[in-house]
């Protein structure tokens, strides 16, 4: 139960997060393709959450990343 979940969280790092699909990293085109493929594999979804920063990323880089996502990826995902 809970202890197993905590154990998995404690072992998580950048590589494991990317490897298990919990973290999306890449160009807007890559993000769009990945999200659409995931949506198709699970029959679609209505809610997604995101964390636009990771580790010691600066606030300015996180803001730039979020702006890029909203401008270049999100418009292609409204029907994902």
């Amino acid at each position: 139960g809970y202890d197993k979940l905590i154990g998995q969280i404690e072992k998580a790092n950048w590589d494991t997060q990317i490897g298990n699909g919990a973290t999306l990293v890449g160009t807007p085109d890559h993000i769009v393709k990945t999200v659409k493929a995931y949506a198709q594999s699970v029959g679609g979804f209505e809610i997604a959450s995101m964390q636009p920063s990771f580790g010691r990323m600066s606030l300015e880089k996180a803001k730039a990343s979020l702006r890029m996502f909203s401008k270049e990826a999100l418009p292609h995902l409204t029907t994902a």
Side-chain angles (χ1 to χ4, degrees):
Y2 185 74
D3 290 339
K4 183 178 179 182
L5 175 64
I6 294 301
Q8 291 172 337
I9 291 170
E10 288 174 343
K11 292 177 185 175
N13 61 38
W14 180 255
D15 293 326
T16 61
Q17 293 294 90
I18 292 172
N20 68 18
T23 301
L24 298 174
V25 178
T27 65
D29 185 55
H30 173 75
I31 300 300
V32 169
K33 288 178 182 175
T34 303
V35 170
K36 285 186 174 187
Y38 174 76
Q40 185 175 8
S41 74
V42 299
F45 57 91
E46 295 177 9
I47 298 172
S49 65
M50 65 184 295
Q51 178 181 338
S53 64
F54 188 84
R56 297 179 183 197
M57 178 185 280
S58 72
L59 179 59
E60 289 308 312
K61 285 186 179 183
K63 286 179 180 180
S65 178
L66 194 53
R67 281 191 293 272
M68 181 186 293
F69 175 80
S70 66
K71 182 180 177 185
E72 298 182 32
L74 193 57
H76 302 285
L77 297 173
T78 57
T79 59

